[in-house]
């Protein structure tokens, strides 16, 4: 870095400087866009949402709905929430997670007798609270690094509070099912 360039700046074309933060934000947005594009590509490979067409996605929904056919709507909604919570470890991006899972969860909720609104609530709660502990969350790990807190210490501190939040989420989902939301 020359003396003329400021700390944390990248110089392009002699004199045009871009702060490192903008470059990082650009890369984060590009990665998020790629996740959504890949999810759409996966859905194109798996098949569209037409339930009368024999596709991979319809086979998946059929088998899941058969496996869960004996459970009540309340149990199905809670299982959707738990699935979203676990899936959040693999896809932290809320947009990416919605693009991947809601294409299955929305029609699946129809088959299991759960309203689509409740399926969305299960998605939102599953995506929200686990972001407090997932080690794949760039925001969490970055915040912990700035605060100089190790992830393992954070989990030890947060697990009880996260348990309370998850119980509250399950109660919220049960209320949503109970009132027909």
């Amino acid at each position: 870095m020359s003396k003329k360039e400021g700390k944390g700046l990248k110089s392009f074309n002699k004199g045009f400087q871009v702060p490192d933060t903008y470059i990082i934000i650009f890369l984060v947005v590009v990665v998020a866009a790629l996740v959504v594009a890949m999810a759409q590509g996966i859905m194109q490979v798996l098949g569209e949402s037409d339930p009368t067409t024999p596709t991979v996605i319809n086979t998946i929904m059929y088998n899941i709905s058969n496996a869960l056919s004996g459970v009540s709507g309340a149990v199905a909604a809670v299982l959707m929430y738990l699935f979203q919570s676990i899936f959040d470890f693999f896809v932290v991006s809320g947009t990416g997670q919605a693009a991947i899972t809601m294409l299955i969860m929305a029609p699946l909720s129809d088959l299991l007798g759960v309203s689509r609104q409740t399926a969305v609530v299960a998605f939102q709660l599953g995506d929200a609270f686990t972001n407090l502990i997932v080690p794949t969350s760039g925001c969490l790990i970055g915040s912990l690094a700035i605060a100089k807190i190790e992830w393992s210490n954070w989990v030890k501190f947060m697990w009880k509070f996260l348990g309370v939040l998850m119980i509250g989420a399950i109660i919220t989902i049960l209320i949503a099912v109970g009132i027909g939301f």
Side-chain angles (χ1 to χ4, degrees):
M1 180 180 332
S2 70
K3 291 182 181 180
K4 291 183 180 180
E5 291 181 40
K7 186 176 181 181
L9 299 175
K10 301 288 184 208
S11 180
F12 300 99
N13 299 330
K14 296 186 178 183
F16 181 70
Q17 296 179 338
V18 178
D20 287 346
T21 306
Y22 292 139
I23 293 171
I24 292 169
I25 290 170
F26 172 77
L27 292 174
V28 167
V29 169
V30 166
V31 168
L34 286 173
V35 166
V36 172
M38 284 189 292
Q40 286 301 318
I42 289 169
M43 287 311 298
Q44 291 297 321
V45 170
L46 294 178
E48 291 297 320
S49 59
D50 180 17
T52 61
T53 307
T55 61
V56 173
I57 199 76
N58 288 337
T59 304
I60 291 170
M61 286 190 298
Y62 175 77
N63 288 324
I64 292 173
S65 66
N66 278 345
L68 298 176
S69 64
V71 301
S72 68
V75 172
V78 170
L79 289 174
M80 287 179 175
Y81 164 69
L82 294 174
F83 170 78
Q84 295 291 355
S85 296
I86 293 167
F87 195 77
D88 195 43
F89 278 84
F90 303 104
V91 180
V92 180
S93 163
T95 305
Q97 188 176 348
I100 293 169
T101 63
M102 288 311 290
L103 294 170
I104 294 172
M105 290 298 177
L108 185 62
S109 68
D110 295 338
L111 294 171
L112 297 175
V114 176
S115 72
R116 288 189 173 202
Q117 293 91 327
T118 301
V120 171
V121 169
F123 160 75
Q124 290 174 325
L125 294 173
D127 176 49
F129 297 139
T130 50
N131 284 332
L132 295 171
I133 63 161
V134 293
T136 53
S137 170
C139 293
L140 173 66
I141 299 303
S143 299
L144 292 176
I146 290 169
K148 297 182 178 155
I149 299 171
E150 288 187 31
W151 180 79
S152 58
N153 291 338
W154 178 251
V155 171
K156 289 176 189 172
F157 172 75
M158 282 299 296
W159 75 270
K160 290 179 185 176
F161 181 60
L162 183 65
V164 169
L165 289 175
M166 291 183 89
I167 290 169
I170 291 171
I171 292 169
T172 301
I173 291 168
L174 293 174
I175 291 171
V177 171
I179 64 172
F181 178 72

